[in-house]
Amino acid sequence: MIAGLLSGDAPRSRILSALLLAILVALALAPFLFPGTRPLDVAAKVCVFVLLVASYDLLLGYTGIVSFAHTMFFGIGGYGVAIALSRMEPGWGAIALGTVAAVALSLALSFLVGLFSLRVKAIFFAMITLAVASFFAILASQLSDFTGGEDGITFKVPELLRSRVATYYLVFGVALGLFLVLLRIVNSPFGRVLLAIRENEFRAEALGYRTVIYRTLANCLGAVVATLAGALYALWLRYTGPNTTLDFSIMIDILLMVVIGGMGTMYGAVIGAAIFVVAQNYLQEAMKAFSGAMQGIPLLPDLFHPDRWLLWLGVLFVLSVYYFPAGIVGQLRARKKA
Amino acid sequence: MSAPEGALVSRRLDWRPPALILAIALGSLVLVGNPSTWLTLTIAGLAMGLMIFIMSSGLTLVFGLMDVMNFAHGLFIALGAYVGASTVKLFSAAASADSFLANLGAIAPAVLAAMLAAGLLGLFFERVIVRPVYGDHLKQILITTGGMIVAEQLILVLWGPDQIPVERPATLRGSFLVGDMAIEKYRLIAVAIGLAVFAGMMLLLNRTKIGLLIRAGVENKEMVEAMGYRIRRLFVGVFVAGSALAGLGGALWGMYQESVTVHIGASMMVLIFIVIIIGGLGSIGGCFAGAVLVGLVANYVGYLSPKIALGSNILLMVLILLWRPQGLYPVGKS
């Protein structure tokens, strides 16, 4: 039964299983284990980012294409729900309509971008997506009548979601469900073809798989899941704005999470997102203490300034790409074999 | 006699892209109506385009030669801008003097320091970040993005998070008045420097042995190696020179904007990508044509219909790629 749920892709490492189980239990019981607004906020963010990072891993880790437009789809989901809920009666119908419209837009965009640029090299796709995403971010901040500009949109949610706990369980449930769906996809024959394309595109093509079609499909799938993650995040925050969805720094965060957790494994997304979001919220306090202790030594207090936490994660990122391309999950699995 | 060759490899200049630029310039003269406004816009567009060309030329050559795409290129721009700004501040007495020569005494060290700093960082970057990941595009993108994150944070450590104002030297402020037309002085300087860099690069590429090797390397790397030349050493040289040019562009851009923030690199990166995609990856002539095109179109559209100005670059890119899927001057790779 568990093997079925996990689509036969077991964690394959005792420590990893324990870690995943701990994260699952912590997230499932978050409202009771960690009372208070901030811990619940962190838990919800972990759920959303696990989903977002997992969908990105479908592109980066499984298909081997680098997209910088993932935040764009995340943003489309957020804005879809926000615009629908702020213009219509705040009900489930509005949420459904907003989500469906957002998913349709994401599908169309990802299909177009994919068809247009996935034929050529990975680098070309990365550059095109970077340009398109930055254009979209500018568009969202300029069309202020529609998107609220830099201020974003604050909106009301349906009656049931006024309770934080209920909203949290909606976020948690959808994220968990979609994560299992993604796990199913990467372990299906379709997922195998994606892996084959990543490993040797030429050979996959020679075996009779139209690589452009598979890549475009993976791109669309990733975009749809990112859109749904964006919708969930908007529902949780009851707000959508450029800074929470479209900012390039979020794209960087996603990259960091995928690589640190482990590319090419869905579990890497869970570990990466959990570590990163917790670090984002709690590492800064540790660094503040550390930086304070270093007062008087030149440069060091600046290096450990709480605002510079990204510096250290960036160093970790570069080191992981060099030395542990399979990230934390890969390391844990390799230990078992040794 | 060969005119400045457009593509690195083609024998004869393909006249269509320059004709397109000319047509756009003349067409917008009709749309703008007022010749003096049009001239101001054109000069502004050329200045912007040539500064972008200076920044992007290194990136496109590095890609053409070694198949390496450096997503941290914007970092050299940011570093150049910061070093340039700090140097101008150091020589503020010379910069505020009311004589062009004295001002030059502030600008020259600023530009040289910016190029030196960016070049040295480029050398370090090539050794530490790029060298281990030759031939692996995925890792290149990841590792250079990671390098950019770290370096951006280090710039914040060294210079602080606040926006730094850049003082433009005294004689470069204001405009020349020609009849009823006002032409900003600094823009003319930027155009002059950009054209000088382009001419120098064309001479180097088309008239020297090193240039010949670089062109040959873009076309067929293995063959150059088989002839006994160390393409790797050549590549390090191109990488460092490209980084130094990005630093120069950054310093110029910082003075143009009269302020520097750490985001300058990332925001220019998007424009640079658009330019080198339009031009054809690896082509210097295409990069030049693309940069001028982007600069001009941005300024014309910004004047004619500010609403769609922000999307004009993307639209331009899509249209150009529909016309020539490999860019204006495709590089014939064997």
Side-chain angles (χ1 to χ4, degrees), chain A residues 60 64-66 68 116 120-124 126-128 130-132 134-135 138-139 142 145 198 248 252 255-256 259 263 299 302-303 307-311 313-315 317-319 321-322 325, chain B residues 63 67-69 71 128-130 132-133 137-143 145-150 153-154 156-158 161 266 269-270 273-274 276-277 281 310-312 314 317-318 321-322 325-326:
Chain A
L60 180 65
I65 48 182
V66 186
F68 284 99
F116 197 60
V120 238
K121 291 179 173 173
I123 277 189
F124 196 67
M127 290 160 71
I128 294 269
L130 184 68
V132 170
S134 75
F135 168 61
I138 294 171
L139 200 69
Q142 290 297 309
D145 297 340
R198 181 190 72 181
F248 188 66
I252 299 272
L255 268 176
L256 287 168
V259 169
M263 283 182 279
L299 206 62
D302 279 337
L303 278 177
D307 287 347
R308 297 289 84 79
W309 67 284
L310 200 55
L311 172 68
L313 283 176
V315 171
F317 175 85
V318 172
L319 292 178
V321 176
Y322 277 148
Chain B
F63 182 81
D67 211 18
V68 166
M69 183 50 69
F71 274 69
V128 178
I129 303 278
V130 182
V133 289
H137 280 165
L138 198 74
K139 277 197 175 175
Q140 272 168 26
I141 299 173
L142 292 177
I143 209 90
T145 310
M148 192 183 69
I149 300 171
V150 174
Q153 295 290 320
L154 284 176
L156 286 175
V157 168
L158 291 176
M269 223 33 212
V270 175
F273 279 156
I274 293 177
I276 65 177
I277 290 175
L281 294 175
L310 291 157
S312 65
I314 300 278
M317 180 174 77
V318 170
L321 287 183
L322 286 178
Q326 301 287 320

Side-chain angles (χ1 to χ4, degrees), chain A residues 10-209:
Chain A
R12 295 209 308 275
S13 151
R14 216 167 279 159
I15 304 174
L16 181 60
S17 311
L19 268 176
L20 288 171
L21 206 63
I23 291 173
L24 179 69
V25 170
L27 287 179
L29 302 176
F32 310 105
L33 287 178
F34 318 104
T37 347
R38 189 158 169 221
L40 198 61
D41 223 37
V42 172
K45 204 174 168 193
V46 170
C47 292
V48 170
F49 273 86
V50 164
L51 189 59
L52 185 62
V53 171
S55 67
Y56 191 69
D57 198 27
L58 182 69
L59 298 180
L60 180 65
Y62 283 89
T63 322
I65 48 182
V66 186
S67 159
F68 284 99
H70 219 59
T71 45
M72 177 172 84
F73 301 119
F74 189 53
I76 289 177
Y79 276 107
V81 166
I83 291 171
L85 276 178
S86 61
R87 304 271 160 124
M88 298 164 57
E89 275 297 298
W92 294 99
I95 295 181
L97 183 72
T99 311
V100 168
V103 165
L105 180 61
S106 287
L107 259 180
L109 266 176
S110 60
F111 183 73
L112 275 180
V113 171
L115 216 56
F116 197 60
S117 51
L118 275 175
R119 297 176 168 275
V120 238
K121 291 179 173 173
I123 277 189
F124 196 67
F125 183 69
M127 290 160 71
I128 294 269
T129 49
L130 184 68
V132 170
S134 75
F135 168 61
F136 191 83
I138 294 171
L139 200 69
S141 67
Q142 290 297 309
L143 294 174
S144 43
D145 297 340
F146 200 54
T147 60
E150 290 291 332
D151 298 332
I153 307 172
T154 314
F155 52 87
K156 287 201 172 68
V157 289
E159 199 68 51
L160 182 63
L161 295 183
R162 304 265 154 89
S163 134
R164 291 311 263 172
V165 176
T167 316
Y168 177 76
Y169 277 109
L170 174 76
V171 171
F172 174 74
V174 175
L176 182 66
L178 281 173
F179 179 79
L180 292 176
V181 170
L182 279 175
L183 205 58
R184 179 68 259 173
I185 289 173
V186 297
N187 287 297
S188 67
F190 173 75
R192 296 283 156 217
V193 178
L194 294 185
L195 282 179
I197 293 173
R198 181 190 72 181
E199 292 304 322
N200 192 336
E201 182 189 349
F202 187 68
R203 200 163 167 192
E205 186 89 49
L207 286 172
Y209 296 107

Side-chain angles (χ1 to χ4, degrees), chain B residues 24-109:
Chain B
I24 287 180
L26 292 178
S28 65
L29 175 59
V30 178
L31 288 174
V32 173
N34 181 347
S36 77
T37 317
W38 176 78
L39 192 69
T40 309
L41 288 174
T42 308
I43 299 276
L46 282 178
M48 180 178 161
L50 286 167
M51 276 188 273
I52 297 174
F53 166 70
I54 293 175
M55 295 179 213
S56 47
S57 52
L59 190 65
T60 199
L61 256 193
V62 164
F63 182 81
L65 197 58
M66 263 343 228
D67 211 18
V68 166
M69 183 50 69
N70 181 9
F71 274 69
H73 196 71
L75 169 70
F76 304 128
I77 297 169
L79 184 74
Y82 270 96
V83 170
S86 298
T87 318
V88 168
K89 208 181 218 169
L90 210 63
F91 289 86
S92 60
S96 53
D98 196 24
S99 116
F100 183 66
L101 275 180
N103 285 173
L104 211 59
I107 297 180

